[in-house]
Amino acid sequence: MKQKFDVTGMTCSACSAHVEKSVCKLQGIENVNVNLLQNSMTVEYDDNLCSDDKIINAVIEGGYGASVKGQKSNSQNSEGIKPIEEEMKNMKKRLQLSFLFLIPLFYISMGHMMGFPLPSILTDHENIMVFALTQLFLTLPIMYINRKYFEVGYKTLFMRAPNMDSLIALGSTAAAVYSIYAIFQMGYHMGHGEMEIAHTFAMELYFESAGMILTLITVGKYLETRSKGKTSDAIAKLIDLAPKTAIVERDGKEIEISTNDIVLGDIIIVKPGKSIPADGVIIEGSSAVDESAITGESIPVEKNKGDKVIGATVNKSGYFKFKATKVGEDTALSQIIKLVEEASGSKAPIAKLADKVSGVFVPVVITIAIISAVIWLLVGQSFAFALSIGIAVLVISCPCALGLATPTAIMVGTGKGAENGILIKSAESLEIAHEIDTIILDKTGTITEGKPKVTDVILAPGVFENKLLRPAYAIEKASEHPLADAVTEFAKSKNIEVDSIENFTAVAGQGVYGYYNGKKIYSGNIKMMIENNIDTKGLEIDGERLSKEGKTPLYFAEEGKILGIIAAADVIKSTSEKAVQEFINMGIDVYMLTGDNKNTAEAIRKQAGIPHVVAEVLPQDKEREVRRIQESGKKVAMIGDGINDAPALARADVGIAIGAGTDVAIESADIVLMKSDLLDAVSAIQLSKAVIKNIKENLFWAFFYNTIGIPLAAGVFFSSFGIKLNPMFGAAAMSLSSFFVVSNALRLKLFKPSFKKGENVYNDKEIENNKTDEKEIVIMEKTMIIEGMMCNHCTGRVDKALNDIEGVTAKVSLDDKAAYCTLSKDVDDEVLVQAVTDAGYKVIDIK
């Protein structure tokens, strides 16, 4: 069983390490993952041996609080964000009150050293007790305001699990207690008339150090908490995408309800400009839907009856109704939030060293502080000197920087990925991805579009394009062959009108035939042409060439006469070649696995620029190929979208699923691309490299800071260089070190892939849109090659003959022996040919 818990009271990595140890001691625990950044814990356990209550009790006995996290995603997130806001509010108030007392305390204790004037009641020997007591009464409120450090610090210390709060509590307590001891000494010596000795003790007050330590640590914590809040911005933005209410149709009435009250099967009404409240299928109406928040695709997607819609996307134009098929935690948005949360809370292998160090860090620091103070006493320094050394060691060491180095970068990195349509399921897969040196690509749906499109139209001698496309459209409209849709879509783009086909018959292994306008039409492979004694007039040579290019040629004939060939193929996506080149530029080797024949595989390989291809691979053999490449010492990422890719995705070091693929493939993958864009896989690898680089920077800083700071505070450089660290500066350094780590992680928010992604794609789409607009006025342009025109009189006769046809605007060129026709309506080629023939000339070809 896997359960998530909220944990309270953790302030540093030593806390999270102790919570983990406390839970791991229980019987039946399989895995524990404590996240300091989210104040959460995920536990996998055998529910026959352990329970939620036992886990919670173990955390409580360890000195912290715990509760089972809410079941709903929305509540999880809202609860995850509000405590940070509340914590920041409380810290801000503590800071303001602390500074209210610290400023006069600092002025009184240090002002005279800087030449600032002090009230006469605080100066001279006879007023040293007033001077000391004033500092005491200004320090006590600061200690009370920041009492949390003492409550938590001493509690964990007495439970033999000291944390950062223990260091702060010990340091500030030592400074305050010694200062109170000095006040008693002052009183004693003043009572005995020993003013010089009393004055000496007045100069050994450390109240300002105690107050400054507590206030500066709170400043650092405030900055750290504010920055940590920003690391979860991505999750907060995802939550905000979901609309709060929905309009549903119940009992024939439209009512507005909370999105939490939507149930499966509800008919939901979506008006223009509104967010879609659940996942479902359109049953009425149409619209353009902006899916950029979920998929990252900037261009709105046309949606019609029967199309699926995703919750939290935006209806840009039309009005429609849809039936809810997924609600609550089952919606795509909830699943994305869950994935991002889990990835943010998971631990990367690189964090293990920091975790091990954090577990012993605080006890080691306390030991170093005591040893340092004792050594300085033994070498003859004063107790005040030794005490300041001990305090400096306690307050400069920073286990927080170690604890925050990895989770902050992971959270920001996974959030940034989600913003760009890249869902990373775990920190481990994010780390492994930066080591990938080999990418294996599935062909269909990954490199290619996944559906065939017409690529070539070859006409038989004397046949015009319309003469081929009209019967082809009619017969393929009735066919269920995978290539039929490609032919019909192509014919539609040419504004061919569909006519009915009669006596449609399919011939296994050959093709189909039927009757169009009373004439028998054949559509099939070369075998069908041979079986029906149809002369292909040399087109079989073109057919063989097309086959070698990985295309499928369809032969069309009418009443035993060949009309031409229409070739179709599963074409590569517009970004696939660019993505492959980016992988190669990054030093990553690229393979393609496909079940297609070698000709098709080789054709796709050349188009996409892929170095290696393995063709004719059965689905069950894909996993074996991945394993074979891994065994050669490669770190392999597999990218696929189909059910037959799932074993290979699971076998690979990192499995990457194209988002438009199947649920099975997505379930088996470590990284999910919401768009079917291979360039997003490049972005995922680059993001992984950026995150791991950031983590290494953070860990280096954390180790470097403590390695330099602790010896400096211990006075290692005092004998040689006279350098001694004031505890106040140590506290300031400690505060800023954690802030530095979190701020460095936030730089990942600026991450951008190193290529100009999608620029050409969107330009192409804009061009297509422009062409579509033009077609509202200009339906088609045709060029007629005409024989027999000898002078301008000839061109004039042809010009008049063509321009007299309704919907035709023609320009005739004597030099080109051609007529350039612009059609504003569908005009049959035979009408154009007849007009030129009647004028006394011969049409050779129409293009």
Side-chain angles (χ1 to χ4, degrees):
M1 183 175 176
K2 187 175 183 179
Q3 184 63 276
K4 196 168 186 179
F5 299 84
D6 286 318
V7 180
T8 58
M10 296 191 299
T11 57
C12 70
S13 56
C15 298
S16 58
H18 182 64
V19 170
E20 193 167 315
K21 285 180 183 177
S22 299
V23 176
C24 282
K25 291 176 183 177
L26 295 174
Q27 189 178 4
I29 297 295
E30 296 169 3
N31 184 45
V32 181
N33 181 9
V34 181
N35 188 285
L36 173 64
L37 193 63
Q38 294 181 334
N39 288 317
S40 66
M41 173 179 65
T42 304
V43 184
E44 293 180 36
Y45 63 91
D46 183 345
D47 53 4
N48 293 319
L49 300 173
C50 194
S51 67
D52 292 345
D53 290 338
K54 287 182 179 178
I55 292 168
I56 291 170
N57 288 334
V59 175
I60 293 171
E61 287 171 9
Y64 304 88
S67 60
V68 176
K69 202 165 184 71
Q71 297 300 313
K72 288 189 178 181
S73 297
N74 288 342
S75 66
Q76 283 180 7
N77 284 285
S78 61
E79 287 174 10
I81 292 171
K82 285 182 179 178
I84 290 180
E85 294 173 356
E86 189 66 29
E87 191 177 350
M88 283 177 61
K89 185 179 177 181
N90 291 336
M91 278 192 178
K92 191 174 182 179
K93 186 176 180 181
R94 277 167 50 193
L95 267 182
Q96 290 170 342
L97 291 172
S98 295
F99 274 115
L100 183 66
F101 292 98
L102 179 67
I103 292 171
L105 171 63
F106 190 77
Y107 183 87
I108 292 168
S109 62
M110 308 293 287
H112 62 284
M113 297 181 187
M114 303 174 187
F116 297 142
L118 287 175
S120 57
I121 195 173
L122 299 175
T123 58
D124 299 329
H125 286 299
E126 61 271 18
N127 293 324
I128 56 174
M129 185 58 73
V130 178
F131 175 76
L133 290 174
T134 302
Q135 290 186 54
L136 171 61
F137 293 132
L138 287 170
T139 303
L140 289 175
I142 297 174
M143 296 179 75
Y144 178 76
I145 291 164
N146 296 286
R147 63 190 178 280
K148 182 180 177 183
Y149 296 121
F150 301 98
E151 292 170 352
V152 177
Y154 284 120
K155 181 180 179 182
T156 55
L157 182 63
F158 293 142
M159 299 188 77
R160 292 185 296 175
N163 63 3
M164 187 201 71
D165 289 339
S166 304
L167 299 178
I168 299 165
L170 287 171
S172 54
T173 300
V177 168
Y178 179 76
S179 299
I180 293 171
Y181 165 77
I183 289 177
F184 278 99
Q185 287 289 347
M186 287 166 57
Y188 175 81
H189 291 290
M190 286 177 69
H192 290 74
E194 299 169 344
M195 295 302 293
E196 287 298 325
I197 298 175
H199 187 267
T200 301
F201 276 103
M203 294 298 101
E204 291 184 359
L205 297 174
Y206 284 97
F207 286 120
E208 82 285 348
S209 291
M212 187 67 81
I213 287 167
L214 293 168
T215 305
L216 288 178
I217 294 298
T218 305
V219 169
K221 280 287 182 184
Y222 175 74
L223 294 174
E224 177 191 317
T225 304
R226 191 172 69 170
S227 297
K228 279 161 65 177
K230 291 180 181 178
T231 63
S232 58
D233 278 354
I235 296 175
K237 286 177 182 176
L238 285 171
I239 296 162
D240 290 340
L241 290 174
K244 301 295 182 287
T245 60
I247 298 174
V248 299
E249 193 176 83
R250 290 179 180 172
D251 300 324
K253 296 179 180 179
E254 292 184 11
I255 57 172
E256 187 171 353
I257 63 171
S258 167
T259 50
N260 295 329
D261 297 328
I262 297 174
V263 296
L264 285 176
D266 264 343
I267 304 303
I268 302 171
I269 297 166
V270 186
K271 297 177 181 179
K274 298 294 184 180
S275 291
I276 297 170
D279 295 359
V281 178
I282 294 179
I283 60 172
E284 181 185 319
S286 62
S287 179
V289 176
D290 180 1
E291 297 182 343
S292 58
I294 301 295
T295 67
E297 177 62 70
S298 62
I299 297 174
V301 180
E302 291 295 329
K303 298 286 184 180
N304 297 295
K305 184 178 179 180
D307 289 339
K308 292 181 179 180
V309 289
I310 305 171
T313 56
V314 180
N315 177 20
K316 299 296 286 185
S317 54
Y319 169 98
F320 65 86
K321 296 179 183 179
F322 75 94
K323 185 177 182 179
T325 57
K326 290 183 179 179
V327 299
E329 288 188 345
D330 296 327
T331 63
L333 178 66
S334 293
Q335 293 300 310
I336 290 169
I337 292 171
K338 184 179 179 182
L339 281 177
V340 175
E341 277 188 326
E342 288 181 353
S344 300
S346 61
K347 282 187 180 178
I350 197 172
K352 289 179 180 176
L353 176 62
D355 287 345
K356 288 179 181 177
V357 173
S358 298
V360 297
F361 185 87
V362 175
V364 169
V365 168
I366 293 172
T367 304
I368 292 172
I370 294 170
I371 292 172
S372 300
V374 170
I375 289 174
W376 283 112
L377 281 173
L378 293 175
V379 298
Q381 290 291 344
S382 67
F383 181 78
F385 181 94
L387 181 65
S388 71
I389 289 288
I391 294 171
V393 171
L394 289 171
V395 299
I396 197 172
S397 55
C398 188
C400 277
L402 282 171
L404 293 170
T406 302
T408 48
I410 293 293
M411 177 168 271
V412 179
T414 52
K416 190 66 181 176
E419 286 177 17
N420 290 279
I422 302 166
L423 300 184
I424 300 158
K425 289 189 176 181
S426 70
E428 185 176 3
S429 58
L430 184 65
E431 180 177 342
I432 295 172
H434 94 284
E435 299 175 334
I436 292 300
D437 55 21
T438 303
I439 292 281
I440 299 177
L441 305 171
D442 174 50
K443 179 186 79 73
T444 306
T446 301
I447 299 171
T448 65
E449 294 284 359
K451 60 180 181 178
K453 291 185 178 179
V454 170
T455 56
D456 301 84
V457 176
I458 299 174
L459 302 171
V463 176
F464 304 132
E465 190 174 70
N466 276 15
K467 181 70 174 174
L468 168 62
L469 291 181
R470 286 193 172 191
Y473 188 6
I475 197 164
E476 295 299 341
K477 183 77 174 173
S479 174
E480 295 180 357
H481 191 276
L483 299 180
D485 286 341
V487 175
T488 56
E489 287 299 318
F490 180 75
K492 284 179 187 176
S493 72
K494 293 288 186 177
N495 294 288
I496 303 297
E497 293 181 359
V498 64
D499 289 310
S500 61
I501 197 85
E502 296 175 350
N503 299 325
F504 176 85
T505 306
V507 182
Q510 294 185 21
V512 296
Y513 67 85
Y515 288 87
Y516 171 73
N517 289 340
K519 295 179 180 180
K520 192 172 185 180
I521 304 297
Y522 296 89
S523 168
N525 54 25
I526 188 67
K527 185 179 179 182
M528 173 172 262
M529 300 299 111
I530 294 170
E531 289 285 331
N532 290 279
N533 299 314
I534 297 170
D535 181 7
T536 56
K537 297 183 180 179
L539 289 185
E540 69 274 8
I541 298 171
D542 292 301
E544 289 176 9
R545 174 181 58 79
L546 292 167
S547 294
K548 288 179 180 177
E549 292 174 0
K551 301 169 184 175
T552 302
L554 287 175
Y555 294 82
F556 291 87
E558 180 184 74
E559 291 291 343
K561 179 185 176 183
I562 192 75
L563 296 175
I565 294 175
I566 298 177
D570 184 8
V571 298
I572 70 169
K573 296 174 184 175
S574 54
T575 56
S576 292
E577 184 181 3
K578 173 70 174 171
V580 170
Q581 190 56 52
E582 288 292 339
F583 282 131
I584 293 170
N585 291 343
M586 291 162 64
I588 297 174
D589 206 6
V590 184
Y591 286 76
M592 180 178 78
L593 292 185
T594 177
D596 287 342
N597 61 64
K598 291 180 180 178
N599 285 340
T600 302
E602 182 61 20
I604 297 296
R605 185 195 73 78
K606 287 180 179 177
Q607 290 177 51
I610 298 170
H612 313 286
V613 63
V614 182
E616 300 175 359
V617 179
L618 296 174
Q620 60 268 31
D621 293 337
K622 288 185 178 181
E623 185 267 348
R624 187 185 64 198
E625 287 296 327
V626 172
R627 187 169 68 246
R628 180 182 64 79
I629 295 171
Q630 285 176 319
E631 287 170 353
S632 67
K634 302 286 188 180
K635 279 280 187 182
V636 177
M638 171 73 191
I639 306 177
D641 75 323
I643 291 175
N644 58 17
D645 297 322
L649 289 170
R651 162 62 63 181
D653 296 288
V654 176
I656 302 176
I658 294 286
T662 65
D663 291 339
V664 176
I666 292 170
E667 191 67 33
S668 305
D670 302 299
I671 298 174
V672 178
L673 309 180
M674 295 299 290
K675 288 185 290 180
S676 292
D677 189 342
L678 205 50
L679 274 174
D680 281 347
V682 179
S683 298
I685 302 296
Q686 292 183 356
L687 177 63
S688 168
K689 290 180 183 292
V691 170
I692 298 305
K693 181 184 177 184
N694 191 279
I695 289 173
K696 288 179 178 177
E697 289 170 352
N698 286 346
L699 288 174
F700 170 79
W701 166 255
F703 281 112
F704 172 79
Y705 164 82
N706 284 296
T707 303
I708 298 299
I710 292 174
L712 177 64
V716 170
F717 306 109
F718 181 74
S719 300
S720 303
F721 305 103
I723 300 173
K724 175 180 173 291
L725 188 71
N726 187 298
M728 289 187 292
F729 293 113
M734 179 186 184
S735 299
L736 293 175
S737 65
S738 298
F739 177 64
F740 173 86
V741 165
V742 178
S743 299
N744 186 51
L746 288 174
R747 289 192 307 111
L748 287 169
K749 287 194 168 195
L750 304 175
F751 168 81
K752 287 183 181 178
S754 62
F755 52 87
K756 293 183 178 178
K757 179 181 152 193
E759 187 171 332
N760 294 333
V761 180
Y762 298 143
N763 287 345
D764 290 344
K765 287 181 178 177
E766 287 170 13
I767 291 168
E768 287 176 14
N769 290 339
N770 291 339
K771 286 181 179 176
T772 303
D773 293 340
E774 289 171 8
K775 285 176 184 175
E776 293 175 3
I777 304 169
V778 180
I779 287 183
M780 194 178 295
E781 292 183 350
K782 294 186 178 183
T783 302
M784 303 176 69
I785 307 301
I786 301 171
E787 188 180 76
M789 295 189 297
M790 306 297 292
C791 64
N792 288 331
H793 293 294
C794 298
T795 57
R797 281 192 285 272
V798 173
D799 187 283
K800 185 176 185 306
L802 291 172
N803 281 299
D804 283 347
I805 302 170
E806 185 180 352
V808 177
T809 303
K811 290 183 180 180
V812 183
S813 169
L814 181 61
D815 294 335
D816 298 341
K817 304 294 186 195
Y820 301 100
C821 304
T822 302
L823 281 60
S824 60
K825 60 183 291 186
D826 189 14
V827 179
D828 198 285
D829 288 349
E830 292 176 1
V831 174
L832 298 174
V833 172
Q834 191 61 50
V836 175
T837 303
D838 291 345
Y841 303 92
K842 184 179 180 181
V843 177
I844 303 300
D845 194 12
I846 297 181
K847 299 177 182 177

